[in-house]
Amino acid sequence: MNINYNEKERSFRLDAKDTSYMFKIVDDGYLCHVYYGKKVPDEDLGYLLRLDESPKTPRENMRDKATFMDTLPFEYSCFGLGDYRESCIKIVDQNGCTTVDLRYVSHRIYKGKPALAGLPATFVNNDDEASTLEITCIDKPTGLQATLFYTAFTNLDVITRSITLKNTGEKPIEITRVLSACVDFDDDCYDMITLNGSWARERHMERAPLHHGKQSIDSIKGESSHQNNPFAALVSHNADEDMGEAFGFNFVYSGNFFAQAEVTQHKKTRFVMGINPLDFGWKLESGEEFVAPEVVMVHSDSGIGKMSRTFHDLYRQNLIRGEYKDKRRPVLINNWEATYFNFDTDKLISIAKEASKLGIEMLVMDDGWFGHRESDNSSLGDWFVNEKKIKGGLKYLVDEVNKLGMKFGIWFEPEMVSPDSELYKAHPDWAIQVKNRELTMSREQYILDFSRKEVRDYVYSMMKNILDSANIEYIKWDMNRQVTEPGSLALPPERQREIWHRYVLGVYDLMNRLTTDYPHILLENCSGGGARFDPGMLYYSPQIWTSDDTDAIERLKIQHGTSLCYPCSAMGAHVSDCPNHTVGRNTPFKTRGHVAMVGTFGYELDVTKIPEEDRNSIPGQIEEFNKYNALVRTGDHYRIGNTFENIEWDAWMFVAKDKSEALFEFVQILARPNYRSRRIKLKGLDPDAYYYEESEPDRKISGAALMNAGINIAKIWNGDGIYGDFSSKILHFIKA
Ligand code: GLA
């Protein structure tokens, strides 16, 4: 077993592939963090705690327990006891008091990993993949029992954490804060990397050295958000893609979150992550339980790149599920940027006809097919076909598309309701709202109260009617606004603060029903582009729309940032028309294809209208996508360029797990005058093997030379012979 308990030292040791994580039970039953980092052989490193130094343990120094509490590295810090750093848990007890004091009671170690009731979480495919440690603690005065869960994966540098609370007392307890993970590092020598942005600019990477005080990211929008992703990494100051230490944290949750690094008075760092405590509340009646979502922690001793590849492997094997988990996704064409709301059956069939000739495999009908929706101001919630647009009905349209040899996919925004809809007129109380307060509109819509089962049931019955009426093989599940007036007309006053989490649980419940009842449907999540690109969503859908920004050059940053912890196989990426609808940029069709090939690949344009030359290059582009997709989906991803620092060029690679082949992609962003060639060092190859580039089979170069000396990227000439910005090139290296 890769988790052990040392009875004599009362210490726990968790070993992931090349990582050790250690903590121990100290005086009075507090759980004290000892070490997290590269694997070490020692059973116990308790000497690191310096408990013999001042301040001594509580028993030895009764006079000043508070100093002990404020300096002890805690595994899970409690509010009110003298630990003035960020707390993980806070309650309101039957007396209205907020102190909570969790002490060790017992533990259990076993093979495998348990599921988290009602929540997405990483899983094991067989019990040998991981071991789990459960530690039960109790707050004696209230009877609040906490179980801390730790799972260590044997073949990945991954440790996951979560916590379950149970009220074993007689009186209700209100939980006002319950974070899922806390790591107390012994120094402050780290940079914090976060993924930040906005609509059409999601997950831009930011990096800054830690400083005294608290630096945090969060979401209080009801979803993980465009602005901050529930990911953060602490990396050594010298860490780059290939060297240095990196600790990555990712929250498997799609609602309000909070992540914070705090540099303390003694220049130590406490990192915490969990549900955002702001406006959170959960009442636990006697006997009731609360399950907090999971935090995935990845350690890398060889830079940020290795951290990312560990996340990618974990998510591809142990988070993403379903039929498409290991499959190439069909090349789709989506009509959103092609038509927006202005389409009908004839238009869609004309797109499908042209697309099918070019080798495109699926037509996705985006927003605007239901109720009387002609723009974004109506009909959400009325999930029945608008036969004025979809003349002949949905089945007719789908059959016609199928006859062309193409699959058919459809867009829904299940969580929403337009004020101008039959649903809202019949059930105005079904919107998330606060009694007697005006409801704030956003994109002319409200959010349905998914904490209510009857609301979910009704929406699902409408979706089912549509899905059962025709051969639908793909769903784009969208979510286009954030929560305001957080409240539910169905919850009593003392449970109003539960709305945030209950809403997210409701979304998960409906996604679970959908994926269980329709296992063959490919589900793609989306939220105004990429506002819900989080591991919670990946548990239900193997791919997520990365951003509404489809410009190839903007996508370099977005996809680079996203790849920090999410696999490329999950990134929705399409070739769109130019000038690009978001930034107005013109880029070569070829480059748009090369950049979209990093993700799931498809088209988002009116194929009947684009320039003939572009249209004619689609079959070749699809062939190229098909040729490399297995490598992209299953290989190791190496970032070479970094457009956050260098806007002249970008490059990256996908290397087969057995290192037998590699795809190298290069994008010239801004052309430089009078330069001849640029040398770029490859990554991830077998140094002892020889490789040739597919177009030059006679020139064999060692992996060592390709990685240490590099290759020459000559001037790039794009299709029409103009040297210039935004051109791209791919090279395929094969082991000789
Ligand atoms: C969101 C999505 C888009 C499109 C529109 C439709 O913005 O991100 O791809 O589906 O909604 O309204």
Side-chain angles (χ1 to χ4, degrees):
M1 204 102 83
N2 56 327
I3 299 184
N4 287 298
Y5 178 60
N6 180 325
E7 189 80 51
K8 185 167 154 269
E9 301 294 338
R10 302 188 83 197
S11 63
F12 296 97
R13 179 202 158 102
L14 292 76
D15 285 327
K17 185 180 176 210
D18 198 24
T19 304
S20 294
Y21 187 100
M22 295 178 175
F23 61 99
K24 66 188 290 166
I25 308 161
V26 295
D27 267 14
D28 294 345
Y30 292 112
L31 294 174
C32 167
H33 183 72
V34 176
Y35 173 73
Y36 180 27
K38 194 171 166 63
K39 196 180 251 180
V40 291
D42 312 70
E43 261 199 41
D44 172 66
L45 296 180
Y47 71 92
L48 288 172
L49 292 178
R50 301 183 298 262
L51 285 178
D52 49 343
E53 289 173 16
S54 164
K56 295 181 186 229
T57 62
R59 234 165 280 160
E60 289 161 336
N61 185 7
M62 298 285 274
R63 281 187 63 236
D64 192 3
K65 185 175 167 187
T67 307
F68 169 82
M69 297 304 279
D70 202 29
T71 50
L72 192 79
F74 274 102
E75 273 301 301
Y76 198 75
S77 62
C78 297
F79 184 80
L81 301 173
D83 178 2
Y84 297 109
R85 298 159 291 179
E86 192 75 23
S87 320
C88 292
I89 186 164
K90 187 163 172 264
I91 62 171
V92 180
D93 66 17
Q94 61 265 34
N95 304 313
C97 296
T98 52
T99 296
V100 57
D101 187 358
L102 293 171
R103 313 268 186 116
Y104 171 86
V105 176
S106 63
H107 72 267
R108 203 155 84 80
I109 298 171
Y110 50 88
K111 279 189 160 191
K113 182 175 194 291
L116 297 184
L119 285 168
T122 57
F123 54 81
V124 288
N125 299 291
N126 67 67
D127 280 354
D128 290 332
E129 282 180 2
S131 308
T132 296
L133 163 66
E134 269 182 45
I135 302 192
T136 303
C137 301
I138 192 94
D139 176 49
K140 274 198 187 137
T142 57
L144 180 68
Q145 179 185 293
T147 307
L148 304 178
F149 288 82
Y150 295 80
T151 296
F153 283 75
T154 44
N155 286 320
L156 291 168
D157 285 306
V158 174
I159 292 170
T160 62
R161 291 188 59 175
S162 63
I163 177 168
T164 302
L165 300 175
K166 185 172 183 182
N167 183 355
T168 66
E170 276 160 22
K171 300 273 171 40
I173 302 168
E174 196 195 347
I175 314 297
T176 53
R177 160 188 289 258
V178 53
L179 303 185
S180 295
C182 169
V183 180
D184 274 351
F185 292 89
D186 199 60
D187 55 28
D188 65 344
C189 305
Y190 301 101
D191 291 348
M192 181 154 151
I193 297 177
T194 52
L195 301 175
N196 316 95
S198 183
W199 174 78
R201 196 164 26 81
E202 296 91 339
R203 288 170 300 288
H204 279 208
M205 188 174 136
E206 290 194 6
R207 177 173 178 164
L210 294 183
H211 54 81
H212 268 117
K214 300 177 173 185
Q215 34 254 274
S216 63
I217 48 161
D218 73 347
S219 164
I220 188 68
K221 299 190 151 193
E223 62 174 353
S224 39
S225 90
H226 292 100
Q227 289 71 19
N228 298 311
N229 193 263
F231 164 84
L234 296 185
V235 305
S236 53
H237 294 314
N238 67 344
D240 62 16
E241 281 293 321
D242 310 303
M243 54 164 271
E245 200 165 26
F247 298 88
F249 301 89
N250 199 194
F251 195 34
V252 188
Y253 191 59
S254 312
N256 294 346
F257 76 93
F258 172 70
Q260 180 178 275
E262 175 185 9
V263 176
T264 70
Q265 54 178 332
H266 300 114
K267 283 189 165 288
K268 317 273 182 205
T269 304
R270 169 167 291 176
F271 182 85
V272 294
M273 187 177 244
I275 291 181
N276 196 340
L278 180 61
D279 207 39
F280 172 81
W282 198 277
K283 186 178 176 193
L284 274 189
E285 295 283 0
S286 176
E288 279 183 354
E289 269 194 352
F290 180 86
V291 183
E294 158 173 300
V295 170
V296 173
M297 312 196 301
V298 169
H299 172 255
S300 158
D301 60 349
S302 316
I304 302 160
K306 184 179 166 198
M307 175 200 75
S308 298
R309 287 185 291 280
T310 303
F311 273 115
H312 298 172
D313 284 343
L314 178 77
Y315 290 171
R316 291 186 297 199
Q317 297 156 18
N318 302 90
L319 179 67
I320 292 171
R321 305 171 300 163
E323 209 170 283
Y324 282 94
K325 175 177 175 167
D326 301 315
K327 265 212 246 167
R328 187 188 70 94
R329 319 285 156 74
V331 176
L332 64 80
I333 185 158
N334 176 304
N335 74 308
W336 178 241
E337 284 194 27
T339 65
Y340 295 102
F341 293 101
N342 186 19
F343 64 89
D344 60 12
T345 299
D346 295 341
K347 180 68 210 170
L348 293 176
I349 291 178
S350 75
I351 291 177
K353 270 196 181 137
E354 196 57 49
S356 66
K357 285 191 233 153
L358 300 166
I360 297 174
E361 298 160 309
M362 178 159 74
L363 175 79
V364 175
M365 176 171 71
D366 211 278
D367 190 357
W369 55 267
F370 49 91
H372 57 273
R373 190 151 164 106
E374 294 294 348
S375 80
D376 60 11
N377 64 3
S378 84
S379 305
L380 293 168
D382 292 348
W383 301 111
F384 41 82
V385 175
N386 177 353
E387 297 215 2
K388 279 195 197 134
K389 283 170 99 169
I390 310 304
K391 295 179 202 114
L394 187 60
K395 182 162 168 39
Y396 168 74
L397 171 62
V398 178
D399 286 350
E400 287 304 299
V401 171
N402 287 168
K403 275 188 215 156
L404 295 166
M406 291 175 80
K407 296 176 191 293
F408 185 88
I410 197 166
W411 180 98
F412 282 103
E413 198 177 353
E415 297 153 76
M416 298 293 151
V417 64
S418 306
D420 178 9
S421 67
E422 291 181 19
L423 180 67
Y424 187 72
K425 276 167 202 136
H427 300 283
D429 56 316
W430 280 10
I432 284 193
Q433 61 192 282
V434 172
K435 209 172 167 185
N436 300 328
R437 282 192 190 276
E438 188 189 327
L439 247 167
T440 301
M441 198 121 70
S442 176
R443 212 195 190 208
E444 263 184 80
Q445 61 199 59
Y446 301 136
I447 306 191
L448 285 171
D449 183 356
F450 264 32
S451 72
R452 296 170 71 164
K453 186 168 179 305
E454 70 272 30
V455 176
R456 302 197 297 271
D457 286 348
Y458 189 79
V459 171
Y460 191 52
S461 69
M462 284 187 285
M463 289 176 79
K464 252 181 116 31
N465 278 342
I466 295 291
L467 297 176
D468 295 340
S469 73
N471 182 25
I472 291 167
E473 297 179 77
Y474 161 106
I475 292 174
K476 178 173 169 187
W477 177 313
D478 210 339
M479 196 276 193
N480 278 319
R481 68 154 285 180
Q482 291 72 41
V483 175
T484 55
E485 292 82 34
S488 167
L489 295 189
L491 288 172
E494 71 277 14
R495 287 196 180 274
Q496 281 296 329
R497 304 291 28 89
E498 298 175 16
I499 180 65
W500 296 106
H501 185 58
R502 286 187 184 275
Y503 174 76
V504 178
L505 292 179
V507 172
Y508 290 150
D509 171 60
L510 204 58
M511 283 193 189
N512 188 42
R513 281 198 234 175
L514 184 68
T515 49
T516 307
D517 291 352
Y518 298 93
H520 306 305
I521 290 184
L522 170 59
L523 181 63
E524 174 156 353
N525 260 286
C526 172
S527 177
R532 224 161 40 178
F533 209 118
D534 61 59
M537 287 290 129
L538 284 183
Y539 185 70
Y540 302 96
S541 64
Q543 60 196 58
I544 302 174
W545 184 228
T546 316
S547 176
D548 276 346
D549 195 334
T550 53
D551 172 69
I553 301 305
E554 291 299 310
R555 277 291 182 123
L556 295 176
K557 281 194 176 125
I558 296 169
Q559 293 178 185
H560 181 117
T562 305
S563 79
L564 241 61
C565 67
Y566 305 106
C568 297
S569 59
M571 289 186 209
H574 297 166
V575 174
S576 62
D577 201 5
C578 277
N580 178 268
H581 293 197
T582 310
V583 289
R585 185 177 285 131
N586 287 303
T587 51
F589 201 69
K590 184 172 150 200
T591 305
R592 285 177 256 160
H594 284 160
V595 174
M597 242 168 61
V598 170
T600 57
F601 199 74
Y603 293 86
E604 179 122 359
L605 39 73
D606 188 342
V607 73
T608 66
K609 286 190 181 153
I610 57 170
E612 205 176 327
E613 196 190 330
D614 291 352
R615 190 167 39 245
N616 291 341
S617 58
I618 288 179
Q621 214 166 44
I622 293 177
E623 207 177 295
E624 205 166 52
F625 159 74
N626 282 331
K627 179 172 169 187
Y628 297 118
N629 181 250
L631 191 51
V632 169
R633 255 187 312 109
T634 64
D636 286 331
H637 182 50
Y638 288 84
R639 294 176 292 260
I640 298 176
N642 180 351
T643 53
F644 297 106
E645 289 166 4
N646 161 22
I647 55 158
E648 277 186 23
W649 59 272
D650 198 4
W652 60 88
M653 288 179 73
F654 293 96
V655 181
K657 286 276 177 199
D658 64 3
K659 304 203 181 281
S660 59
E661 58 167 335
L663 174 69
F664 169 83
E665 297 198 46
F666 177 89
V667 177
Q668 162 110 359
I669 303 172
L670 292 180
R672 274 198 317 180
N674 194 22
Y675 97 92
R676 297 197 169 265
S677 68
R678 173 178 282 120
R679 207 174 278 182
I680 288 183
K681 294 176 184 174
L682 303 192
K683 293 183 182 183
L685 301 173
D686 176 355
D688 300 325
Y690 277 79
Y691 292 85
Y692 64 92
E693 204 285 314
E694 202 182 338
S695 61
E696 284 185 294
D698 295 333
R699 190 205 298 263
K700 307 213 171 22
I701 311 171
S702 69
L706 291 168
M707 293 192 290
N708 294 305
I711 56 169
N712 286 328
I713 294 291
K715 279 183 180 180
I716 295 177
W717 298 77
N718 66 13
D720 52 10
I722 300 163
Y723 168 76
D725 298 345
F726 316 137
S727 33
S728 67
K729 186 183 184 89
I730 63 173
L731 296 171
H732 185 203
F733 290 91
I734 302 164
K735 209 174 196 174

